[in-house]
């Protein structure tokens, strides 16, 4: 008898958020999803609970987006780190750059470095900018350094020597000598072989700060779930568990990166290539701009610390469904960044006692109490009204509940509108040329109002909106990023042969790393270069082609409004992104619509209900997304409910579901103005 082909392992993507842990997997050709409450004290408990509910088979691959690294940085609960650097540069991480966020603020509180002064060690060595070793540390110096470090009992060590990216020999010698200390080592030329010692040192220090925490978490998860585990990176690709343990700095935007990848994949199904992603969860809102493809940035800042590894260009603000409302000292209403999280959560979840954005949406009728999570969980409206009223009385406010709730929505919308402006208008993009892709559990509640305020003519709420980050993780490729600073000056002709030689070195390294992880499949390579005009202190990343110089000048013109055709150009850093198609993508497919969710059997939802929109109480249609007919046009005001999210559509807007499974909302008058004026570019010219 012929042998049966082996059953492929079940791929489950799990994104741990501040309020919910989202799971997405493929079962019998359908994309399925599950949401469980997060367990902040130990995120693995929620994962175990989710796997129990799914019914984990013997062969499982877990693709994980984690917030452990982010929360460790934000809460400053990382390891006790020692820093080894070139003598004289011990305080570089404290001095930083001269750029100040508030130039004339005498009371500005700077971010304290992650390494205390007594744990910074300088060693007498020097490597020149061209890689020549001018002074090597003596064996006695290395022995003394090792002994001094052992006396300080660090939990991790960061090593960052001057110009180690040009020649790593001395850094390797130091690392070899410090092996006997017996703690994890983060070595700068392995993590970030690039110039700018402050950013490189900051990155390697953050890596060391996170390494013991992430190692404990991931190894414990590995023992608990008994599955092969891969981790989502901030750059939009997944990596093996071992790589994530060695370089946790690459995972600090793990979950949000999955959301951008998922939004881009869903938008392509509906023919949208230019999108602004709007991911509003329980704790924060993440926004990004995708013009054709998601691009990574190499100059990010998390919790006040510069990080130089590739990250999708995501802007985050502390505004989510769980963001807590308060009155400041002057009596003005504020919302966030503090969040009720999953424990105790908003008032309407049954345990919280402070009013949140979710409570405001419930008080205004935007959230229907019995329609939450497809009817699996009922929101407590009576408790919300009672505790919110008591809170207003304690704070001496004369606002009615409806006025208070409407104020919360206006304040949080203002914060999120500013965030969208940062990734679009402030970076040379016109939001009127894009589609706003709204997801996260709360994204659909606010998207239409934000789009109208910004002149965005269309909103798309994808299938699985409340778990789109997990879906993005499921369809992500395996990715590795490599870089090397070269600092070549060119005038008219790029050094093709030298570029090919350097990129070939990076390609061989990528192939070696993939082989060590026993990866199979064709490796795709994406080459790019950081370029600047001679004398500039910043670079622009452009694809590496024979038209490199022309493309750089065009991008400089678009980004800054000018260029210098006759000025010499410097090729600063070469970058290679190597990817292998993720094995889960073949199970998900690219054309079949994802299953939007499920409704609890026996749930009865109202046909219409009063909803407050723009200060007016209107009778809005309450529609189940499962019941919407593909292609049929509907009109607002309406509230569209589903398992993982709720979407509010104001009057004057039309909406329909397309064959890609996405909910498309047209901001009527904006679409008409856009067409009548010949598009946003013509409006700008006029």
């Amino acid at each position: 008898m012929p042998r049966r082909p082996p059953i492929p392992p079940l791929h489950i993507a799990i994104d741990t958020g501040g309020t919910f842990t989202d799971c997405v997997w493929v079962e019998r050709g359908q994309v399925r999803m599950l949401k469980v409450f997060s367990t902040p004290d130990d995120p693995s408990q929620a994962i175990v609970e989710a796997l129990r509910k799914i019914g984990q088979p013997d062969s499982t691959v877990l693709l994980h987006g984690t917030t452990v690294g982010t929360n460790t940085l934000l809460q400053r609960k990382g390891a006790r780190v020692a820093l080894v650097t070139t003598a004289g540069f011990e305080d570089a991480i404290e001095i930083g750059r001269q750029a100040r966020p508030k130039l004339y603020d005498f009371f500005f509180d700077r971010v304290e470095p992650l390494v205390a002064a007594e744990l910074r060690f300088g060693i007498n060595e020097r490597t020149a900018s061209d890689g020549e070793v001018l002074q090597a540390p003596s064996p006695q110096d290395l022995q003394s350094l090792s002994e001094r470090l052992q006396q300080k009992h660090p939990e991790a060590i960061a090593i960052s020597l001057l110009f180690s990216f040009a020649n790593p020999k001395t850094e390797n010698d130091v690392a070899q000598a410090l092996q006997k200390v017996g703690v994890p080592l983060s070595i700068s030329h392995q993590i970030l072989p690039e110039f700018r010692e402050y950013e490189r040192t900051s990155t390697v220090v953050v890596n060391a700060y996170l390494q013991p925490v992430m190692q404990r978490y991931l190894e414990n998860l590995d023992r608990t779930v008994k599955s092969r585990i891969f981790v989502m990176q901030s750059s939009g690709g997944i990596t093996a568990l071992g790589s994530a343990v060695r370089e946790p700095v690459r995972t600090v935007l793990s979950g949000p990166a999955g959301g951008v990848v998922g939004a881009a994949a869903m938008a392509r199904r509906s023919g949208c290539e230019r999108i602004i992603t709007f991911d509003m969860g329980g704790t924060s809102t993440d926004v990004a701009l995708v013009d054709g493809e998601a691009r990574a940035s190499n100059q990010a800042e998390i919790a006040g610390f510069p990080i130089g590894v590739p990250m999708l260009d995501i802007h985050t603000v502390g505004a989510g469904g769980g963001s807590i409302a308060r009155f400041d000292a002057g009596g003005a209403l504020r919302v966030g960044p503090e969040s009720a999280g999953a424990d105790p959560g908003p008032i309407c979840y049954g345990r919280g006692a402070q009013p949140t954005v979710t409570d405001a949406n419930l008080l205004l009728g935007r959230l229907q109490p019995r329609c939450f999570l497809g009817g699996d969980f009922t929101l407590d409206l009576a408790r919300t009204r009672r505790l919110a009223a008591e809170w207003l009385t304690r704070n001496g406010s004369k606002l009615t509940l409806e006025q208070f709730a409407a104020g919360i929505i206006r304040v949080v919308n203002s914060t999120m509108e500013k965030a969208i402006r940062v990734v679009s208008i402030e970076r040379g993009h016109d939001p009127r040329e894009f589609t706003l892709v709204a997801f996260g559990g709360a994204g659909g509640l606010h998207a239409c109002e934000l789009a109208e305020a910004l002149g965005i003519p269309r909103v798309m709420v994808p299938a699985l909106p409340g778990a789109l980050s997990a879906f993005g993780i499921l369809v992500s490729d395996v990715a590795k990023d490599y870089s090397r600073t070269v600092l070549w000056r060119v005038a008219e002709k790029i050094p093709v042969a030298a570029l090919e030689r350097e990129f070939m070195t990076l390609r061989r390294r990528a192939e070696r790393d993939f082989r060590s992880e026993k990866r199979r499949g064709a490796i795709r390579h994406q080459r790019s270069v950081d370029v600047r005009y001679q004398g500039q202190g910043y670079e622009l990343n452009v694809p590496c082609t024979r038209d490199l110089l022309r493309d750089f000048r065009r991008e400089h013109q678009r980004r800054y409004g000018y260029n210098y055709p006759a000025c010499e150009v410097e090729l600063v850093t070469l970058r290679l992104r190597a990817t292998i198609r993720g094995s889960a993508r073949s199970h998900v497919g690219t054309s079949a619509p994802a299953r939007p969710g499920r409704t609890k059997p026996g749930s009865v939802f109202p046909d219409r209900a009063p909803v407050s929109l723009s200060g007016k109480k209107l009778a809005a249609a309450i529609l189940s997304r499962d019941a919407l007919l593909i292609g049929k046009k509907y009109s607002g005001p309406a509230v569209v409910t589903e398992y993982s999210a709720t979407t509010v559509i104001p009057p004057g807007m039309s909406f329909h579901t397309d064959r890609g499974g996405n909910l498309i909302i047209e901001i009527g008058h904006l679409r008409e103005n856009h067409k009548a004026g010949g598009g946003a570019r013509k409006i700008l010219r006029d």
Side-chain angles (χ1 to χ4, degrees):
M1 293 180 63
R3 284 187 178 182
R4 282 186 174 183
I7 299 175
L10 177 65
H11 289 72
I12 304 175
I14 297 184
D15 175 40
T16 302
T19 305
F20 286 100
T21 293
D22 305 326
C23 310
V24 172
W25 70 100
V26 178
E27 184 178 312
R28 297 175 184 173
Q30 291 286 331
V31 178
R32 300 287 305 277
M33 67 172 294
L34 173 72
K35 294 176 79 73
V36 298
F37 282 103
S38 294
T39 50
D41 292 338
D42 181 4
S44 64
Q45 292 181 12
I47 296 174
V48 171
E49 173 66 12
L51 294 176
R52 184 188 65 79
K53 289 186 175 183
I54 293 171
Q56 180 185 8
D58 295 333
S59 179
T60 306
V61 174
L62 185 64
L63 310 174
H64 185 26
T66 173
T67 57
V68 170
T70 314
N71 293 338
T72 299
L73 269 181
L74 293 174
Q75 299 169 11
R76 295 184 70 103
K77 293 183 177 180
R80 176 179 165 86
V81 177
L83 170 64
V84 177
T85 186
T86 304
F89 289 83
E90 298 91 341
D91 296 326
I93 59 169
E94 186 159 359
I95 297 170
R97 296 289 178 196
Q98 289 304 306
R100 297 288 184 264
K102 296 180 180 179
L103 188 59
Y104 300 108
D105 185 356
F106 292 125
F107 304 100
F108 171 72
D109 293 326
R110 63 179 176 80
V111 178
E112 289 292 328
L114 296 175
V115 183
E118 65 270 16
L119 288 172
R120 303 174 204 158
F121 298 86
I123 187 165
N124 292 316
E125 67 81 33
R126 183 56 62 95
T127 299
S129 60
D130 61 359
E132 180 186 357
V133 178
L134 302 177
Q135 180 184 359
S138 67
Q140 293 78 15
D141 288 341
L142 294 176
Q143 177 65 25
S144 173
L145 175 66
S146 176
E147 292 172 356
R148 285 187 293 155
L149 276 165
Q150 291 183 61
Q151 293 171 2
K152 293 294 184 178
H153 306 291
E155 296 175 300
I157 299 173
I159 304 173
S160 180
L161 305 183
L162 202 64
F163 294 112
S164 61
F165 62 88
N167 185 347
K169 182 182 184 308
T170 304
E171 222 171 54
N172 283 328
D173 292 342
V174 173
Q176 182 66 32
L178 297 183
Q179 290 288 345
K180 63 181 71 174
V181 181
V183 298
L185 302 178
S186 294
I187 308 170
S188 75
H189 76 268
Q190 295 178 356
I191 295 170
L192 190 66
E194 300 178 21
F195 81 144
R196 292 196 174 102
E197 67 273 10
Y198 169 57
E199 286 77 7
R200 179 160 49 90
T201 303
S202 175
T203 301
V204 75
V205 164
V206 169
N207 192 78
Y209 188 74
L210 299 177
Q211 201 169 8
V213 176
M214 285 291 286
Q215 183 173 352
R216 286 193 296 269
Y217 169 68
L218 291 175
E219 289 180 352
N220 176 63
L221 182 64
D222 191 31
R223 289 191 299 269
T224 303
V225 302
K226 297 179 174 61
S227 301
R228 291 176 61 202
I229 299 176
F230 296 88
V231 181
M232 187 68 176
Q233 301 177 96
S234 308
S235 63
I238 58 174
T239 189
L241 182 139
S243 297
V245 168
R246 288 191 303 274
E247 299 187 10
V249 70
R250 297 183 183 272
T251 69
V252 291
L253 287 183
S254 180
V260 175
V261 173
M266 284 292 192
R268 280 194 292 271
R269 294 183 176 186
S270 298
C272 297
E273 295 289 336
R274 310 186 77 197
I275 63 172
I276 296 173
T277 68
F278 168 56
D279 177 7
M280 185 179 180
T283 305
S284 63
T285 291
D286 305 304
V287 297
L289 186 140
V290 178
D291 195 351
E293 63 176 351
R295 296 289 300 275
S297 169
N298 302 292
Q299 298 176 0
E301 187 175 285
I302 306 295
F305 303 109
I307 295 178
V309 297
M311 299 183 183
L312 293 183
D313 196 1
I314 300 169
H315 182 63
T316 302
V317 291
S323 293
I324 296 171
R326 69 186 192 282
F327 293 109
D328 65 14
L333 179 62
R334 305 288 185 185
V335 180
E338 297 82 6
S339 173
D343 186 12
I347 297 173
C348 57
Y349 287 5
R351 289 180 292 178
Q354 294 179 285
T356 66
V357 174
T358 297
D359 298 314
N361 277 308
L362 179 64
L363 290 171
L364 296 174
R366 298 166 178 241
L367 278 174
Q368 294 295 304
R370 298 184 182 277
C371 301
F372 196 70
L373 290 182
D376 279 351
F377 186 88
T378 300
L379 300 175
D380 195 335
L381 178 59
R383 183 177 191 270
T384 304
R385 296 187 68 88
R386 175 171 55 82
L387 292 187
E390 292 173 359
W391 186 90
L392 285 171
T393 301
R394 284 198 305 273
N395 283 273
S397 174
K398 296 182 180 179
L399 294 173
T400 66
L401 283 179
E402 286 70 23
Q403 290 172 334
F404 175 54
I408 291 175
I409 299 303
R410 284 197 300 273
V411 171
V412 78
N413 280 355
S414 175
T415 301
M416 296 185 294
E417 182 184 334
K418 290 176 184 175
I420 295 174
R421 288 179 180 274
V422 167
V423 300
S424 57
I425 296 170
E426 293 184 15
R427 296 180 186 174
H429 297 281
D430 188 337
R432 292 175 291 183
E433 297 179 344
F434 289 80
T435 296
L436 185 66
V437 180
F439 54 102
L445 291 165
H446 300 260
C448 291
E449 291 169 323
L450 290 173
E452 190 167 28
L454 289 161
I456 300 173
R458 174 190 286 182
V459 172
M460 189 185 92
V461 182
L464 309 175
L468 196 68
S469 292
F471 177 80
I473 295 169
L474 188 67
V475 300
S476 291
D477 293 328
V478 182
K480 293 185 180 295
D481 294 281
Y482 303 89
S483 61
R484 185 177 188 277
T485 292
V486 292
L487 288 172
W488 293 338
R489 187 175 299 173
V490 298
E492 297 296 330
K493 190 176 181 181
I494 62 173
V496 176
L499 281 171
E500 291 296 332
R501 190 164 53 249
E502 293 293 340
F503 275 118
M504 183 55 67
T505 301
L506 297 180
R507 287 184 61 165
R508 292 195 191 101
R509 184 179 167 194
E511 290 165 1
R512 184 173 63 250
D513 289 347
F514 278 126
R515 282 198 305 271
S516 69
E517 295 179 2
K518 299 180 180 179
R519 286 284 178 186
R520 297 179 180 178
I523 302 176
R524 292 170 295 167
H525 301 95
Q526 187 177 13
R527 310 190 309 177
S528 64
V529 184
D530 290 354
V531 189
R532 68 184 181 188
Y533 287 118
Q534 181 186 349
Q536 284 184 327
Y538 55 89
E539 300 83 44
L540 291 174
N541 182 261
V542 293
C544 183
T545 67
R546 292 187 179 273
D547 296 321
L548 174 67
L549 300 183
R550 183 201 66 185
D551 293 343
F552 163 68
R553 290 189 172 97
R554 285 182 175 177
E555 178 63 13
H556 200 283
Q557 178 72 41
R558 186 198 68 78
R559 184 71 180 268
Y560 302 111
Y562 67 95
N563 67 72
Y564 298 117
C567 188
E568 279 194 333
V569 166
E570 286 182 323
L571 309 185
V572 179
T573 301
L574 311 183
R575 302 190 183 279
L576 178 73
R577 183 173 176 82
T579 59
I580 293 179
R581 183 182 174 90
S583 55
R585 287 181 61 180
S586 59
H587 304 298
V588 177
T590 57
S591 58
R595 185 175 178 179
R598 60 186 177 85
T599 300
K600 183 179 180 181
S603 299
V604 178
F605 299 157
D607 293 331
R608 302 187 78 82
V611 177
S612 292
L613 293 167
S614 302
K616 299 178 182 177
K617 185 165 286 190
L618 306 171
I622 309 300
L623 303 171
S624 169
R625 183 160 174 173
D626 295 349
L628 298 181
L629 301 176
I630 293 176
K632 181 180 177 180
K633 290 275 187 179
Y634 299 84
S635 298
V639 175
V640 178
T641 66
E642 57 186 299
Y643 174 68
S644 66
T646 298
T647 303
V648 173
I649 298 119
M653 302 183 188
S654 63
F655 60 98
H656 68 279
T657 55
D658 64 13
R659 295 191 178 278
N662 299 319
L663 180 65
I664 308 297
I665 305 165
E666 304 285 356
I667 318 296
H669 62 284
L670 295 178
R671 294 294 292 181
E672 292 167 7
N673 292 343
H674 188 76
K675 292 176 181 177
R681 292 195 184 279
K682 184 176 187 303
I683 293 171
L684 286 176
R685 287 197 301 270
D686 293 345

